[in-house]
Amino acid sequence: MATLAAVIASTHHPFYYKTSTMPPEERPPFAEEWITKVTAFRETLTRAAPDVLVMVGSDHFHQLWLDNMPQFLIGKAPFYDANFYNEEREFGLPRMRLKGHEELSAYLLREGLDAGFDLAFSNELRVDHSITCPIITLRPQADLPIVPIYTNIFAPPLPQPARFVQLGRTIRQLIEAWPSDLRVAVIGTGHLSLELGGPRQFGPHGPDPEFDRKAVEWIATGDIEGCLSEVTLDSLWKPGNATHGFMDFMLMMGVAGDGVKADYMDTVDLFHTMEAYFTWYPKEAGA
Amino acid sequence: MSRYLVNKFLFTVDRDPEWVERYREDPRGFVAWWEAEKANSLLNCHSGEASTWLAFEDEEREALATHDYVRLFELGAHPFLTLTLFIAMFERDYDEPLGFQKEYARRLAHFSLPYPDIAT
C-alpha cells in the first residue's frame, strides 16, 4: 500500500514569491524572517521524501466560474499549466507547468465517488496560486507529479465545515489503501482570518487575531471536535469575509486525524494576515 | 437583482488586459458596450451559443459606470472580484504601497456585519 509520508497545512500568501525573489536590499523589513521560516518549513516536506503530492486548494474565480461551479473537484490530467494573467499582474507570479499523476487522480475519483462524495473532475485544469504558492514555498523545483483537489470556499452556497473534515478523512483512508509503493504527501492551503474587498482589509495584522490564535490551537492539537463546535458557515463571516478559506485547513485536520498533534508548527504575523505552517508525520511514514 | 451579471462583468473584464484599460478609461461607454455585446455570452461553451435574458438593473449599471466600488459592495458584488479588478485599474495612481487598498477599506468603513449578501 502507499505510504502517507507527510500531511502539510499552510496558508498561501501570493506575495511570497515576489518578496523572496526581489534583490535583498529592496525587500520589505518582514522579508528575512518570512524567508527563514518558509525555508525551515520546506525542510519538513523534503525530509518526508515524497514521490507524489496531493494538493488541496481553491480556485479564485480563475477557471471555475458561477455558470458551472463544483463544490469539490479533482484534476485528472497529465499536466497542469499554472497561474493566470491577473496573478502575474497583481502578485508577480510566474507561469508554471506541473506534472499530473493521472493514476492517483483516477483512483481518488473512483474511490471517492464510491465513498459518498460526488466529486467533479477536470481533464484540463489550469491551477492558480492556491496550489502554486505551496509549490513555490515547499517544493520550488516543482519536480513531483501532483493531484489537484479544489474546494469551493468562495462562491456561496458552500459545503458545510464538517463536510470538509469528512473529505479530508476519506482522502487519508483512500491514500493509505492505494495499491502502490509510492510515498504520498498531502498539502493543503487555506487562510486564517482574512478580509478581501471589505472594510477590514489590509490592516496591520489579520482582521481577527483572537480567531487566529484559536484556529492555530485547533490545528496544532488536531482539535477537530472543538473546531467544529465553534465554526459554522455563518460564524466564519465574523473573523473576515474571506475566512471561509479556513475550511481547507479543516479538511487538512481531517487528513491529519482527530487529536493528532502537529509535529511542526510555525506562524508569521504579516501586514494583513497571519501565516501559519503545520506538518504531521504519520507514524508509519518513517520520515 | 442581477448580482450574477455584475460578477460576470467583473470576472470577464479582470481576465482581459485590454478590457481592463478600456473600463478604466471610459467606464460608462465600456459598460454599455459590454452589456450590449457580451453580457449574454455563454462562457465555457460553444462560441455560437448565447443566453437571451441577462441585463443589469439600473443601479448596477450606474455603479459600474461610475467605478463605484462602495456601491458594488452594497449591492453584493463578490468582494474578491471587485477588489482584484479595481486594484488592476487604480493601484498605479497611488505612490504609497497598498495606498489604494487602504483607501478602499476606509471608504467601506461604514459597513458592519452582516455584510451585504453575496450569494448568487
Side-chain angles (χ1 to χ4, degrees), chain A residues 136-284:
Chain A
I136 287 164
T137 53
L138 293 163
R139 193 76 180 186
Q141 60 272 47
D143 58 339
L144 297 178
I146 70 163
V147 173
I149 301 181
Y150 267 156
T151 68
N152 176 19
I153 50 88
F154 211 59
L158 309 178
Q160 294 288 346
R163 194 69 174 152
F164 284 74
V165 174
Q166 289 162 2
L167 180 58
R169 288 176 178 144
T170 298
I171 289 169
R172 177 173 185 143
Q173 287 162 5
L174 297 182
I175 289 171
E176 289 181 334
W178 183 34
S180 164
D181 55 6
L182 295 181
R183 296 174 64 80
V184 182
V186 185
I187 300 172
T189 70
H191 296 294
L192 302 180
S193 73
L194 181 66
E195 177 114 334
L196 292 171
R200 296 173 288 172
Q201 69 178 2
F202 293 99
H205 49 66
D208 191 340
E210 175 57 20
F211 176 85
D212 294 346
R213 189 193 61 72
K214 274 205 273 192
V216 166
E217 180 73 13
W218 287 326
I219 302 165
T221 60
D223 185 7
I224 293 175
E225 193 181 338
C227 184
L228 280 173
S229 73
E230 290 195 36
V231 171
T232 66
L233 290 174
D234 282 340
S235 80
L236 285 171
W237 293 109
K238 291 178 198 146
N241 70 348
T243 310
H244 292 86
F246 179 65
M247 292 193 293
D248 283 336
F249 271 114
M250 297 180 75
L251 189 157
M252 295 311 299
M253 291 168 71
V255 179
D258 288 80
V260 179
K261 290 189 173 60
D263 294 296
Y264 178 91
M265 193 272 280
D266 205 355
T267 61
V268 192
D269 242 329
L270 292 180
F271 51 90
H272 72 138
T273 184
M274 178 185 264
E275 286 274 277
Y277 310 131
F278 305 87
T279 302
W280 294 259
Y281 294 116
K283 283 191 180 58
E284 62 279 12

Side-chain angles (χ1 to χ4, degrees), chain A residues 86 89 154 195 200-201, chain B residues 11 14 43 78 101 104 115:
Chain A
N86 63 359
R89 181 189 72 204
F154 211 59
E195 177 114 334
R200 296 173 288 172
Q201 69 178 2
Chain B
F11 171 71
D14 183 58
L43 307 177
H78 198 291
Q101 289 88 331
Y104 193 117
Y115 293 165

Side-chain angles (χ1 to χ4, degrees), chain A residues 13 15-40 42 137 266-271 275 277:
Chain A
H13 201 307
F15 283 110
Y16 180 77
Y17 179 78
K18 203 172 182 176
T19 304
S20 61
T21 54
M22 64 175 57
E25 63 277 11
E26 292 174 23
R27 287 177 187 161
F30 54 80
E32 191 181 332
E33 181 195 17
W34 196 9
I35 293 167
T36 300
K37 290 191 172 202
V38 165
T39 305
R42 180 179 307 152
T137 53
D266 205 355
T267 61
V268 192
D269 242 329
L270 292 180
F271 51 90
E275 286 274 277
Y277 310 131

